[in-house]
Amino acid sequence: MALIAVWYLAVNAAAFALCALRKPAGAPGALLRLMVVIGGAPGMLLSRALFRRGPRETGPLALAYPLIWLALHLAVLAALIDRAGGGAGGWLAALGRVPGLGLYLACINAAAFFAFAADKARAALGRWRVREAALLALALAGGAAGALAAMDLCRHKIRTPRFAWGVPALLAAQCALLAWASAMGWA
């Protein structure tokens, strides 16, 4: 548990510093987005509030993405703290009770991430694109976290309403479904 605390402190300190020192564009923006995805949302939001610097993206969910990642990381941390305290581990316990569920979720999220990233690369090159229905199907099949990570890191489909609102809603629904199934003892 101490290793997780050190991880989050380091990632948040890095996100805080990157956001405070951020220039208008370039690689630090991509690095800051990566820090937010891996747990640095509180550091970025604090730096933004204190120094009025950082990402100035526009769009319907410019500030919501760090808040979504913050909520997801808080849910994971709560489940880990519950497990460390002798509890069942909350909704994460379902991953251990259903054989293959963790592997399936890892694979579908990786597939969604790479499909979104490939679509962004193909869009930049003016080549054949991945169908929007296929991208949404991957998110619906359990890959919403991977899809959201690619959307955030690659800056892809963030202004398309069905993706900007739909993928975070799918992620919330998938987390709620997993929590409900775990509470009912089904998963």
Side-chain angles (χ1 to χ4, degrees), residues 125-187:
L125 297 172
R127 298 174 122 182
W128 168 85
R129 306 273 306 273
V130 179
R131 298 176 124 192
E132 287 187 350
L135 294 173
L136 286 172
L138 283 169
L140 182 63
L148 188 64
M151 286 172 60
D152 199 14
L153 292 174
C154 300
R155 311 310 292 162
H156 187 53
K157 300 285 187 191
I158 58 172
R159 289 191 176 95
T160 306
R162 76 177 131 230
F163 287 93
W165 295 97
V167 173
L170 283 173
L171 179 60
Q174 289 166 5
C175 288
L177 180 64
L178 193 58
W180 178 72
S182 180
M184 297 298 287
W186 296 344

Side-chain angles (χ1 to χ4, degrees), residues 22-185:
R22 169 125 190 217
K23 301 292 184 221
L31 187 58
L32 180 60
R33 287 191 298 273
L34 177 64
M35 290 292 147
V36 168
V37 169
I38 62 174
M44 189 274 274
L45 292 169
L46 180 64
S47 179
R48 232 176 134 169
L50 290 176
F51 302 117
R52 303 265 185 224
R53 289 193 191 146
R56 299 272 192 255
E57 291 101 4
T58 59
L61 294 177
L63 188 58
Y65 281 126
L67 295 174
I68 291 167
W69 286 113
L70 177 62
L72 185 61
H73 282 281
L74 287 176
V76 169
L77 283 174
L80 290 174
I81 290 169
D82 180 45
R83 179 169 284 175
W91 61 275
L92 286 180
L95 298 177
R97 285 197 297 261
V98 178
L101 180 61
L103 179 62
Y104 170 77
L105 288 174
C107 290
I108 195 69
N109 278 289
F113 181 88
F114 288 120
F116 273 78
D119 189 48
K120 173 67 174 191
R122 290 181 166 278
L125 297 172
R127 298 174 122 182
W128 168 85
R129 306 273 306 273
V130 179
R131 298 176 124 192
E132 287 187 350
L135 294 173
L136 286 172
L138 283 169
L140 182 63
L148 188 64
M151 286 172 60
D152 199 14
L153 292 174
C154 300
R155 311 310 292 162
H156 187 53
K157 300 285 187 191
I158 58 172
R159 289 191 176 95
T160 306
R162 76 177 131 230
F163 287 93
W165 295 97
V167 173
L170 283 173
L171 179 60
Q174 289 166 5
C175 288
L177 180 64
L178 193 58
W180 178 72
S182 180
M184 297 298 287

